[in-house]
């Protein structure tokens, strides 16, 4: 049990370190790096390389944005198997709906308890 926490910590940390190095050492914008993480998760999930990482690291691999990309790729695979090629369009939305909804709800709750102001 303790080993699974340690693996999640170091794998998730390594993913974050790679992102920080890309921010510090390249001219890539953070938005491009984040998008690259999602696309990498989709590609690695589609070819079957991300699932072994999830089995090894658990939340250390599913929480970062690459895990979001993996969830999208799995949603598309499942939807294509169920509905045919129409699933290419519906699978990603279905797979991501819970995460997006949670983000919106928690952002709304945070907005209720904080005061917004313009940055100078």
């Amino acid at each position: 049990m303790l080993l699974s926490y340690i693996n999640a910590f170091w794998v998730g940390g390594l993913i974050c370190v790679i992102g920080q190095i890309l921010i510090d050492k390249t001219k890539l914008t953070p938005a491009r790096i984040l998008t690259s993480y999602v696309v990498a998760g989709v590609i690695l999930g589609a070819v079957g390389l991300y699932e072994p990482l999830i089995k090894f690291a658990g939340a250390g691999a599913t929480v970062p944005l690459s895990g979001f990309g993996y969830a999208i790729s799995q949603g598309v695979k499942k939807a294509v198997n169920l509905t045919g090629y129409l699933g290419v369009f519906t699978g990603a939305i279905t797979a991501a709906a819970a995460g997006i909804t949670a983000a919106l709800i928690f952002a709304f709750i945070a907005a209720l308890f904080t005061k917004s102001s313009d940055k100078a």
Side-chain angles (χ1 to χ4, degrees):
M1 176 98 164
L2 178 63
L3 187 60
S4 64
Y5 289 121
I6 292 170
N7 288 338
F9 180 78
W10 77 262
V11 170
L14 183 63
I15 291 171
C16 293
V17 164
I18 292 168
Q20 188 63 49
I21 290 170
L22 290 172
I23 289 171
D24 292 344
K25 301 294 182 185
T26 68
K27 293 185 181 205
L28 293 172
T29 63
R32 288 187 181 189
I33 294 168
L34 295 175
T35 304
S36 299
Y37 268 110
V38 173
V39 171
V42 169
I43 292 170
L44 293 173
V47 298
L49 295 176
Y50 206 78
E51 190 166 347
L53 183 62
I54 289 175
K55 288 181 180 177
F56 175 73
T62 58
V63 171
L65 282 172
S66 52
F68 181 70
Y70 168 77
I72 289 173
S73 72
Q74 296 309 301
V76 169
K77 277 184 183 179
K78 183 178 177 183
V80 167
N81 288 335
L82 291 174
T83 63
Y85 287 108
L86 182 62
V88 170
F89 302 106
T90 62
I93 294 169
T94 304
I100 292 170
T101 302
L104 289 172
I105 290 171
F106 290 124
F108 178 73
I109 292 170
L112 290 176
F113 293 104
T114 59
K115 182 179 177 187
S116 63
S117 62
D118 292 334
K119 289 188 175 184

